[in-house]
Amino acid sequence: MATVPALDKPPVVLADPPTVRPRNGWRKYWHLYAAISPFYLLFIAFGLIPVGFSLYLSFHRWDGLGSMEWAGLSQYQYLVSDSDFWSSIGNTIIIWALATFPMIFLAMVTAVMLNAAVRFKNVYRFAYFLPNVTSVVAIAIVFGSVFSTNFGLVNALLQAVGLDQVAWLNTPWGIKVAIATLMTWQWVGYNAIIFLAGLQTIPSELYEAARMDGAGPLQTFFRITLPLLRPTLLFVLVVSTVTGLQSFTEAQVLLQNTSNDSTFSGGPDHAGRTMVLYFFQQTFDNNDFGYGAAVAWGIFLVVVIFSIINWRLVQRRDED
């Protein structure tokens, strides 16, 4: 029987896939861009443009009314040699240190206690968060009465234990302690809530294993809680640095009636004149908007440097 030879089939040629072209590009999603545009428009109008104008203004002399006069780098050169500016930096750093480290300690202790509490957790959280949402001006007025020399609660307590009165708002260190105490009271609750959120991310199995191994509360805290809270601690430290170095309202309200020199003088011997207070004094008391802008950029540089230092310190400990 004869076999029929198989015929070779021609190869199948696949056609190139059709090219997908975007339809109208961004016009297809214009309604989405329009939905998010208010934020960017407001940021440009009230954030980016003022920042750019302040940088431009720092190279000019201007009293706010007349024409601007080009000053070049002369205002930054004067800023570097301005003893009042360096004094305000020293005051700010001291107040920041007196407020931040006790605040972080108290906030962490409070967070640990809140995390261990079983009943009324939400009530405690509200109570500790309340000082942060209260008006700073109102808080400062209350603390002005608390630290009053003749009728203040603090001096009443000192007299009750047999100690002499302290003129808190009329001595350099008393002014710094009063401002730092106000800032500590204001931010302890807020940072306690942040620490509490960090504590609740730590697995409970780690604590159970530590208890089975015979670890006590202090060993558990330093070997488990504190190492795992380092990211939260870094966040709290950086935010506290940024807010603490820009303190203004606390000193301005507490000390506005303690000196006849200026509303922004910072009290006797300028002991409470922070960097931002000095910026307001140069800008609005002296009507020197150009130099005030240079001071503002100097403040920005100081805040950035201290934030980087704090971040590097915490990160280095984490790497070790």
Side-chain angles (χ1 to χ4, degrees), residues 26 97 164 227 293:
W26 65 271
D164 295 332

Side-chain angles (χ1 to χ4, degrees), residues 45 89 128 135 161 163 212 270 272 286 293:
I89 292 178
Y128 283 111
S135 171
V161 296
L163 299 176
M212 292 179 63
H270 309 298
N286 299 340

Side-chain angles (χ1 to χ4, degrees), residues 197-264:
L199 286 172
Q200 292 179 345
T201 62
I202 301 176
S204 59
E205 293 81 3
L206 297 177
Y207 294 108
E208 295 175 0
R211 283 193 294 267
M212 292 179 63
D213 291 338
L218 289 179
Q219 290 178 319
T220 302
F221 178 79
F222 286 104
R223 296 297 180 89
I224 297 177
T225 304
L226 192 57
L228 294 179
L229 270 182
R230 277 178 180 170
T232 307
L233 178 61
L234 173 61
F235 171 80
V236 170
L237 188 57
V238 171
V239 172
S240 300
T241 300
V242 174
T243 56
L245 294 179
Q246 298 182 75
S247 61
F248 164 74
T249 308
E250 298 86 357
Q252 199 272 335
V253 177
L254 271 177
L255 306 172
Q256 62 179 345
N257 296 323
T258 59
S259 176
N260 296 324
D261 183 15
S262 167
T263 306
F264 308 108

Side-chain angles (χ1 to χ4, degrees), residues 135-147 182 250 253-254 256:
S135 171
V136 181
V137 176
I139 296 172
I141 293 174
V142 172
F143 269 75
S145 300
V146 170
F147 284 97
L182 191 159
E250 298 86 357
V253 177
L254 271 177
Q256 62 179 345

